[in-house]
């Protein structure tokens, strides 16, 4: 039945006219739509030039339409003139919809030499949209084999490239079987697979087509384009495709845009500043948006090919219509969340998968319905777009940095909405980071890094860590801060993923996840160690800069709570190259943050020890004694500095503050023992001065030795009132005298 329908379609293409396009005769006679008439009434010099170009194009189209016999390009000035006219206007402004039927017909009819046909096909650049009827009519010429194999191949490449500019797709879907028959041609097979990939729906998957693809795979070997089509078939009908296919995404198809990509960009840029006559028509009822680049055009939702002319009428009659099981719900009619819920199992996704990125309702659908075919199509489209539009990987794309930045921003927002990273973005980052200068689209690239999915450490090290290190150590302070911030968000996303998946598993399944959990623990540990290493080196390079130290401590504020907050049996102490610069920092914010971090480390370690003693180990994971030992060494150093003034004598860490008295006396500091307590510490000295001014306003000597005994306790209360909450919880949890006093005070309040 489908073959009969396809053949009938090819014999007599349907003559369908739409509101947004005129026929060729009307266009030639100047019967414009009203907006165009209004423009013509007020003609400027640019308008006159535009009219001249239109007259030339009209003459050229009339010439090509009347071609009957085979004509040679040599010594034919008329043909050369009209061919040059078409090429010039197409490359500058693009061709109107009415011209495609004529030019496609003459290019595929074999009446002209291949040289001319090639130039015509390469000049088929749309100013707005391409009528589907013109494409269907052109496909019918493939049946009669009038044109050569090279022209057929070029036409397929053009069709793939311009697929998103075709105003409807329904008639093309009806020709699915016709295109499928071209798979037997080895040269055309990759491009036919690409076109079928764009056209495939669930109803397109048939057992005989699967058998044909498997036979071709046996004949040609494991070709990527065959794997792509089989993968899509398997997602739609897994019961029909039983073979094992590679699970990791890759670039399945060759780039088909070569001859047209630059021309499309030129036309889009010029049309933005041109008159409304040449402004591109939008593919559907969406409000006008920029169409600077091809990927940007795909960020709009295209109109479905069903009932487009009666769209407004259908909306009024069927606002929340329940569609039958076999009837699809057109995407452009999806306006409210209630419609999504009513028709969630009947949605027909647009051919342009890029439009999904900017539609919250479709993103909600992706979150609710794990349709692997949708993800596969989206990953393929996104991978191709990222690879081809990357401004630092492709030499000619430098001028499009702003547009590429906007696209990366859109992808990042989509990942945030879905709360998961795209594997195509991961592959893009792994391929492009070694070539990245650290400047172009910096914010967007580092944000994408924060959504890299979990993978093996060896892959992360070679593709992510190593390229980042080369840029990290040679870039500015602000770049270092940005990288650490991005890696902190990456860690949080991994931990959130673990917490969500752990909550979704039943108790009987938890023990079966030991292997996966072990891998996650190792990956998180490697990331923490990596950040600890680059932070230590960066602090040395930047002379322990306060701004950098803030971002480093912010990272460890997440690390210190992994056990309790994210239910992951892992705790890693910061390296000495981070801890001691924070302890001796001249900024009270960093010191206060370090106090809070050490307090949370203590809380997590105490909880872990209690679980071990009560034999309730979390999935049989235990912390090593080295972690407890390192924590105790840091606590001794902090208490010795801030409270007991004994850090130089009692600090036992190999990289700690322990020094002989004779060496300290050579520094000529009189009270060297108390140099880093909460009164004399460089980060706290400002608070001590203000406390003395309030307590003894007439004393201008600022004698810090007065702060002792009861005044020490008063000073402590003063510090607490200055919003130093980290210092407060650290002292109350780690100093016995203060801890006991705070507990008794709390009990008195309760009584």
């Amino acid at each position: 039945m489908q073959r009969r329908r396809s053949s009938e379609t090819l014999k007599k293409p349907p003559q369908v006219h739409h509101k947004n396009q005129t026929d060729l005769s009307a266009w030639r006679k100047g019967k414009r739509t009203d907006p165009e008439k209004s423009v013509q009434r007020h003609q400027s010099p640019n308008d006159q030039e535009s009219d001249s170009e239109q007259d030339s194009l009209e003459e050229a189209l009339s010439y090509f339409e009347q071609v009957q016999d085979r004509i040679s390009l040599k010594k034919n000035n008329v043909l050369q003139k009209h061919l040059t006219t078409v090429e010039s206007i197409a490359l500058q402004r693009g061709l109107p919809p009415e011209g495609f039927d004529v030019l496609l017909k003459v290019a595929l009819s074999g009446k002209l030499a291949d040289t001319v046909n090639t130039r015509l096909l390469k000049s088929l650049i749309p100013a707005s949209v391409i009528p589907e009827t013109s494409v269907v009519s052109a496909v019918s010429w493939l049946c009669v084999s009038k044109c050569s194999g090279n022209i057929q191949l070029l036409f397929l490449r053009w069709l793939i490239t311009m697929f998103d500019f075709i105003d409807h797709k329904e008639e093309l879907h009806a020709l699915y079987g016709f295109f499928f028959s071209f798979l037997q041609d080895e040269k055309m097979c990759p491009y036919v697979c690409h076109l079928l990939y764009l056209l495939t729906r669930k109803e397109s998957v048939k057992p005989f087509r699967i058998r044909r693809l498997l036979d071709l795979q046996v004949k040609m070997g494991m070709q990527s384009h065959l794997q792509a089509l089989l993968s899509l078939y398997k997602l739609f009908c897994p019961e029909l495709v039983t073979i094992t296919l590679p699970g990791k995404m890759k670039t399945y198809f060759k780039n088909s845009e070569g001859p047209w990509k630059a021309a499309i960009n030129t036309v889009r840029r010029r049309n933005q500043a041109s008159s409304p006559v040449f402004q591109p028509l939008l593919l559907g009822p969406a409000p006008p948006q920029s169409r600077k680049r091809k990927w940007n055009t795909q960020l709009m939702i295209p109109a479905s090919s069903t009932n487009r002319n009666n769209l407004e009428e259908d909306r009024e009659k069927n606002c929340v219509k329940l569609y039958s099981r076999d009837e699809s719900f057109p995407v452009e009619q999806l306006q409210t969340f209630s419609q999504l819920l009513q028709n969630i199992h009947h949605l027909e996704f647009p051919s342009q998968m890029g439009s999904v990125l900017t539609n919250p309702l479709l993103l909600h659908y992706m979150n609710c319905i794990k349709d692997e075919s949708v993800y596969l199509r989206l990953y393929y489209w996104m991978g191709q777009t990222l690879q081809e539009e990357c401004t630092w990987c492709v030499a000619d794309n430098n001028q499009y940095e702003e547009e590429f930045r906007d696209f990366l921003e859109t992808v990042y927002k989509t990942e945030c909405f879905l709360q998961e990273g795209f594997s195509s973005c991961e592959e893009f980052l792994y391929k492009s980071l070694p070539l990245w200068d650290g400047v172009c689209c910096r914010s967007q690239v580092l944000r994408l890094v924060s959504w890299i999915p979990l993978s093996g450490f060896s892959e992360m090290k070679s593709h992510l860590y190593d390229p980042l290190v080369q840029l990290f150590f040679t870039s500015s302070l602000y770049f270092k801060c940005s990288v650490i911030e991005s890696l902190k968000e990456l860690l949080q996303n991994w931990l959130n993923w673990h917490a969500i998946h752990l909550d979704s598993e039943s108790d009987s399944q938890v023990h079966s996840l030991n292997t996966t959990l072990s891998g996650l623990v190792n990956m998180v540990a490697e990331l923490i160690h990596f950040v600890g290493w680059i932070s230590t080196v960066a602090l040395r390079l930047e002379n322990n800069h306060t701004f950098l130290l803030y971002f480093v401590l912010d990272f460890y504020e997440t690390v210190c709570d992994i056990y309790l907050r994210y239910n992951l049996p892992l705790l890693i102490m910061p390296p000495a190259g981070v801890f001691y610069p924070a302890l001796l920092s001249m900024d009270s914010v960093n010191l206060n943050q370090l106090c809070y971090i050490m307090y949370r480390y203590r809380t997590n370690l105490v909880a872990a020890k209690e679980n071990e003693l009560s034999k309730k180990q979390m999935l049989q994971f235990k912390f090593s004694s080295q972690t407890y030992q390192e924590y105790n060494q840091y606590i001794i150093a902090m208490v010795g500095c801030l409270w007991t003034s004994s850090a130089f004598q009692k600090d036992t860490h190999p990289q700690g503050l322990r020094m002989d008295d004779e060496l300290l006396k050579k520094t000529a500091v009189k009270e060297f023992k108390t140099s880093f307590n909460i009164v004399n510490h460089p980060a706290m000295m400002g608070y001590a001065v203000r406390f003395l001014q309030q307590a003894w306003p007439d004393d201008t000597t600022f004698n810090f030795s007065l702060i002792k005994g009861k005044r020490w306790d008063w000073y402590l209360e003063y510090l607490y009132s200055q919003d130093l909450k980290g210092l407060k919880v650290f002292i109350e949890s780690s100093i016995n005298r203060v801890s006991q006093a705070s507990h008794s005070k709390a009990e008195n309040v309760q009584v």
Side-chain angles (χ1 to χ4, degrees), residues 282-289 299-303 311 315 332 335:
L282 299 180
L283 303 182
Q289 300 182 28
L299 297 182
M300 295 179 291
I301 295 199
L311 177 59
R315 282 182 185 164
E332 80 278 1
Q335 301 294 328

Side-chain angles (χ1 to χ4, degrees), residues 335-597:
Q335 301 294 328
T336 64
F337 194 74
S338 61
Q339 286 180 318
L340 174 66
L341 297 179
Q342 296 281 3
N343 302 281
I344 195 166
H345 296 294
H346 309 111
L347 284 181
E348 176 190 348
F349 265 62
S351 299
Q352 298 97 322
M353 288 305 296
S355 61
V356 177
L357 299 182
T358 53
N359 190 302
L361 293 177
L362 295 183
L363 293 178
H364 276 301
Y365 171 87
M366 293 181 65
N367 255 342
C368 298
I369 307 295
K370 296 300 181 181
D371 188 342
E372 293 297 330
S373 65
V374 172
Y375 278 90
L376 183 62
R377 291 173 58 200
L378 182 61
Y379 288 168
Y380 160 70
W381 171 84
M382 189 177 297
Q384 290 284 102
T385 305
L386 288 170
Q387 179 181 346
E388 295 166 7
E389 304 295 335
C390 179
T391 54
W392 61 88
C393 294
V394 182
D396 297 335
N397 285 353
N398 294 332
Q399 55 186 319
Y400 308 123
E401 179 180 342
E402 183 177 353
E403 298 169 23
F404 187 61
R405 182 188 299 114
D406 293 340
F407 176 62
L408 295 182
E409 187 72 26
T410 301
V411 173
Y412 168 73
K413 291 178 180 178
T414 304
E415 291 182 324
C416 292
F417 189 98
L418 297 176
Q419 286 296 293
E420 63 177 307
F422 297 132
S423 60
S424 51
C425 287
E426 177 188 11
E427 293 181 10
F428 162 72
L429 290 171
Y430 288 169
K431 291 179 181 178
S432 63
L433 281 179
L435 306 174
W436 186 44
D437 60 2
V439 177
C440 180
C441 306
R442 175 192 297 177
S443 176
Q444 289 72 29
V445 171
L446 292 179
R447 286 178 180 178
L448 291 180
V449 167
S450 67
W451 281 107
I452 290 179
L454 280 164
S455 56
F457 171 70
S458 59
E459 188 174 9
M460 293 282 289
K461 182 180 185 303
S462 60
H463 293 103
L464 176 64
Y465 296 158
D466 291 348
L468 277 182
V469 162
Q470 297 178 13
L471 290 170
F472 184 84
F473 292 144
T474 57
S475 297
S476 66
L477 168 69
Y478 300 101
F479 181 82
K480 294 181 176 69
C481 296
S482 299
V483 170
I484 293 176
E485 174 72 11
S486 175
L487 295 177
K488 183 203 78 170
E489 293 177 359
L490 175 63
L491 174 63
Q492 288 179 333
N493 289 332
W494 285 359
L495 295 173
N496 287 331
W497 177 90
H498 164 71
I500 293 172
H501 283 73
L502 189 64
D503 291 342
S504 64
E505 299 292 341
S506 62
D507 294 337
S508 60
Q509 293 175 311
V510 169
H511 294 286
S512 65
L513 295 177
N514 278 338
T515 304
T516 303
L517 182 60
S518 176
L520 174 63
V521 169
N522 292 335
M523 282 299 303
V524 171
E526 294 292 350
L527 174 60
I528 295 173
H529 287 309
F530 173 73
V531 174
W533 171 61
I534 63 173
S535 299
T536 300
V537 178
L539 287 170
R540 293 175 183 173
L541 292 174
E542 302 293 342
N543 296 321
N544 298 327
H545 199 285
T546 299
F547 191 61
L548 176 62
L549 187 57
Y550 170 82
F551 283 90
V552 174
L553 292 177
D554 195 40
F555 175 83
Y556 279 97
E557 193 168 326
T558 300
V559 175
C560 68
D561 243 351
I562 287 179
Y563 182 76
L564 289 179
R565 181 173 296 178
Y566 299 101
N567 210 18
L568 189 70
L570 178 69
L571 274 182
I572 298 177
M573 302 300 298
V578 171
F579 172 79
Y580 284 102
L583 178 60
L584 304 179
S585 172
M586 299 185 68
D587 185 82
S588 61
V589 173
N590 289 335
L591 181 61
N592 180 68
Q593 194 173 10
L594 176 66
C595 291
Y596 176 78
I597 289 172

Side-chain angles (χ1 to χ4, degrees), residues 83-366:
L83 181 59
T84 302
T85 298
V86 171
E87 289 178 324
S88 175
I89 295 178
L91 295 177
Q92 290 181 11
R93 297 185 178 274
L95 299 175
E98 300 80 7
F100 284 91
D101 188 64
V102 174
L103 297 178
L104 282 172
K105 177 181 178 180
V106 72
L108 298 176
S109 64
K111 295 178 181 179
L112 301 175
D114 277 6
T115 305
V116 180
N117 295 331
T118 300
R119 291 173 61 179
L120 283 176
L121 286 174
K122 289 184 177 180
S123 64
L124 293 179
I125 310 298
S128 55
V129 296
I130 300 173
E132 183 190 26
T133 53
S134 300
V135 177
V136 173
S137 178
V139 171
S140 67
W141 282 99
L142 300 181
C143 301
V144 295
S145 301
K146 292 288 187 178
C147 57
S148 65
N150 290 334
I151 297 300
Q152 293 181 9
L153 194 64
L154 187 61
F155 170 70
L156 282 179
R157 293 177 60 190
W158 174 84
L159 185 56
I160 293 169
T161 303
M162 303 300 170
F163 188 82
D164 294 328
F165 294 98
I166 301 173
D167 57 358
H168 302 286
K169 304 294 192 304
E170 203 60 32
E171 296 295 336
L172 280 178
H173 282 292
L175 298 177
Y176 192 93
F178 173 75
F179 289 121
F180 194 89
S181 65
F182 280 88
L183 288 175
Q184 60 189 0
D185 190 314
E186 291 190 11
K187 290 185 178 180
M188 299 179 68
C189 185
Y191 300 103
V192 173
C193 285
H194 194 165
L195 181 59
L196 292 174
Y197 190 94
L198 298 174
L199 289 171
T200 298
R201 298 173 176 173
K202 187 172 183 179
E203 58 268 22
S204 307
V205 182
K206 305 293 182 183
F208 74 89
R209 288 176 180 158
I210 295 174
R211 289 195 299 269
R212 181 58 179 159
L213 289 175
L214 294 177
D215 292 340
L216 287 173
Q217 186 166 261
V218 172
K219 177 182 176 182
M220 300 180 181
M222 295 288 288
Q223 300 295 325
S224 59
H225 49 273
L226 294 175
Q227 292 179 22
L229 202 51
L230 282 170
S231 298
L232 190 57
Y233 280 10
K234 187 169 186 176
L235 288 174
F236 281 125
C237 299
E239 71 280 2
L240 297 180
V241 184
T242 57
I243 66 170
T244 302
L245 295 169
K248 190 172 180 59
M249 288 292 298
K250 61 180 180 179
T251 303
Y252 282 133
F253 304 111
K254 298 178 181 179
N255 182 12
S256 301
E257 295 184 342
W260 301 279
K261 180 178 178 181
I264 292 174
N265 299 333
T266 303
V267 170
R268 291 308 171 216
R269 288 198 307 274
R270 179 154 185 170
N271 283 352
Q272 285 177 343
S274 300
S275 65
V277 174
F278 288 96
Q279 285 293 337
L281 301 176
L282 299 180
L283 303 182
Q289 300 182 28
S290 171
R291 296 190 65 183
K292 299 179 183 178
R293 303 277 280 160
K294 188 185 176 192
W295 60 261
N296 211 8
T297 68
Q298 296 169 332
L299 297 182
M300 295 179 291
I301 295 199
S304 174
S305 54
T306 57
N307 300 328
R308 178 175 177 177
N309 290 333
N310 299 322
L311 177 59
E312 298 301 329
E313 181 181 352
D314 289 343
R315 282 182 185 164
E316 295 175 3
K317 293 180 180 179
N318 307 310
C319 291
V320 192
K321 176 183 176 181
L322 284 175
Y323 280 65
S324 64
R325 182 173 298 274
D326 297 328
E327 187 177 357
S328 61
F329 184 83
V331 162
E332 80 278 1
Q333 294 187 19
L334 186 64
Q335 301 294 328
T336 64
F337 194 74
S338 61
Q339 286 180 318
L340 174 66
L341 297 179
Q342 296 281 3
N343 302 281
I344 195 166
H345 296 294
H346 309 111
L347 284 181
E348 176 190 348
F349 265 62
S351 299
Q352 298 97 322
M353 288 305 296
S355 61
V356 177
L357 299 182
T358 53
N359 190 302
L361 293 177
L362 295 183
L363 293 178
H364 276 301
Y365 171 87
M366 293 181 65

Side-chain angles (χ1 to χ4, degrees), residues 674-725:
T674 61
S675 297
F676 292 100
N677 64 19
I678 57 175
V679 175
N680 296 286
H681 195 290
M684 308 302 295
M685 194 172 294
Y687 293 103
V689 170
R690 287 195 291 272
F691 173 76
L692 291 175
Q693 287 176 336
Q694 294 181 19
W696 296 277
D698 297 332
D699 187 358
T700 59
T701 60
F702 299 118
N703 186 3
F704 292 159
S705 61
L706 295 175
I707 304 178
K708 57 184 178 181
K710 280 189 176 182
R711 294 169 181 171
W712 180 280
D713 294 335
W714 296 346
Y715 175 63
L716 206 59
E717 293 295 331
Y718 171 76
L719 292 179
Y720 294 166
S721 68
Q722 300 302 306
D723 204 29
L724 296 174
K725 297 179 180 179

